[in-house]
Coordinates of all heavy atoms in Angstrom, one line a residue:
A515 N 4.7 -4.4 2.9 CA 4.4 -5.7 3.7 C 5.7 -6.4 4.1 O 5.9 -6.8 5.2 CB 3.5 -6.6 2.8
Q516 N 6.6 -6.4 3.1 CA 7.9 -7.1 3.4 C 8.7 -6.4 4.5 O 9.2 -7.0 5.4 CB 8.7 -7.2 2.1 CG 8.1 -8.1 1.0 CD 8.7 -7.9 -0.3 OE1 9.6 -7.1 -0.5 NE2 8.2 -8.6 -1.3
S517 N 8.8 -5.1 4.4 CA 9.6 -4.3 5.4 C 9.0 -4.4 6.7 O 9.7 -4.2 7.7 CB 9.7 -2.9 4.9 OG 8.5 -2.2 4.9
M518 N 7.7 -4.6 6.8 CA 7.0 -4.7 8.1 C 6.8 -6.1 8.6 O 6.2 -6.3 9.6 CB 5.7 -4.0 8.1 CG 5.8 -2.5 7.9 SD 4.3 -1.6 8.1 CE 4.9 0.1 8.4
G519 N 7.4 -7.1 7.9 CA 7.3 -8.4 8.4 C 6.0 -9.1 8.3 O 5.7 -10.0 9.0
I520 N 5.1 -8.5 7.4 CA 3.8 -9.1 7.3 C 3.7 -9.8 5.9 O 4.1 -9.2 4.9 CB 2.7 -8.0 7.3 CG1 2.7 -7.2 8.6 CG2 1.3 -8.5 7.1 CD1 1.8 -6.0 8.7
E521 N 3.3 -11.0 6.0 CA 3.3 -11.9 4.8 C 2.5 -11.2 3.6 O 3.0 -11.2 2.5 CB 2.7 -13.3 5.1 CG 2.9 -14.2 3.9 CD 2.5 -15.6 4.3 OE1 2.5 -16.0 5.4 OE2 2.2 -16.4 3.3
E522 N 1.4 -10.7 3.9 CA 0.6 -10.0 2.9 C -0.4 -9.1 3.5 O -1.1 -9.4 4.4 CB -0.2 -11.1 2.0 CG -0.8 -10.5 0.8 CD -1.1 -11.5 -0.3 OE1 -0.4 -12.5 -0.4 OE2 -2.0 -11.2 -1.1
L523 N -0.4 -7.9 3.0 CA -1.4 -6.9 3.4 C -2.7 -7.0 2.7 O -2.7 -7.4 1.5 CB -0.8 -5.5 3.3 CG 0.4 -5.1 4.1 CD1 0.8 -3.7 3.7 CD2 0.0 -5.2 5.6
D524 N -3.8 -6.6 3.3 CA -5.1 -6.6 2.6 C -5.9 -5.5 3.2 O -5.4 -4.6 3.8 CB -5.8 -8.0 2.7 CG -6.0 -8.4 4.2 OD1 -6.0 -7.6 5.1 OD2 -6.2 -9.6 4.4
N525 N -7.2 -5.6 3.0 CA -8.1 -4.5 3.3 C -8.4 -4.3 4.8 O -9.1 -3.4 5.2 CB -9.5 -4.7 2.6 CG -10.0 -3.4 2.0 OD1 -9.2 -2.6 1.5 ND2 -11.3 -3.2 2.0
T526 N -7.9 -5.2 5.6 CA -8.1 -5.2 7.0 C -6.8 -4.8 7.7 O -5.7 -5.4 7.4 CB -8.5 -6.6 7.5 OG1 -9.7 -7.0 6.9 CG2 -8.7 -6.6 9.0
P527 N -6.8 -3.9 8.7 CA -5.6 -3.5 9.4 C -5.0 -4.7 10.1 O -5.7 -5.4 10.8 CB -6.0 -2.4 10.4 CG -7.3 -1.9 9.8 CD -7.9 -3.0 9.1
R528 N -3.7 -4.9 10.0 CA -3.0 -6.0 10.7 C -1.9 -5.5 11.5 O -1.1 -4.6 11.1 CB -2.5 -7.0 9.7 CG -3.6 -7.6 8.8 CD -3.1 -8.8 7.9 NE -4.2 -9.3 7.1 CZ -5.1 -10.1 7.5 NH1 -5.1 -10.6 8.8 NH2 -6.1 -10.6 6.7
P529 N -1.7 -6.0 12.8 CA -0.7 -5.4 13.6 C 0.7 -5.7 13.1 O 1.0 -6.8 12.6 CB -0.9 -6.2 15.0 CG -1.7 -7.4 14.6 CD -2.5 -7.1 13.4
V530 N 1.6 -4.8 13.3 CA 3.0 -4.9 12.9 C 3.8 -5.4 14.2 O 3.7 -4.7 15.2 CB 3.6 -3.6 12.4 CG1 5.1 -3.8 12.1 CG2 2.9 -3.2 11.1
V531 N 4.4 -6.5 14.1 CA 5.1 -7.1 15.2 C 6.6 -6.6 15.2 O 7.2 -6.5 14.2 CB 5.1 -8.7 15.2 CG1 5.8 -9.3 16.3 CG2 3.6 -9.1 15.2

Side-chain angles (χ1 to χ4, degrees):
Q516 294 166 357
S517 64
M518 291 189 161
I520 300 174
E521 186 172 337
E522 187 158 336
L523 293 176
D524 57 21
N525 223 34
T526 303
R528 300 189 181 277
V530 177
V531 179

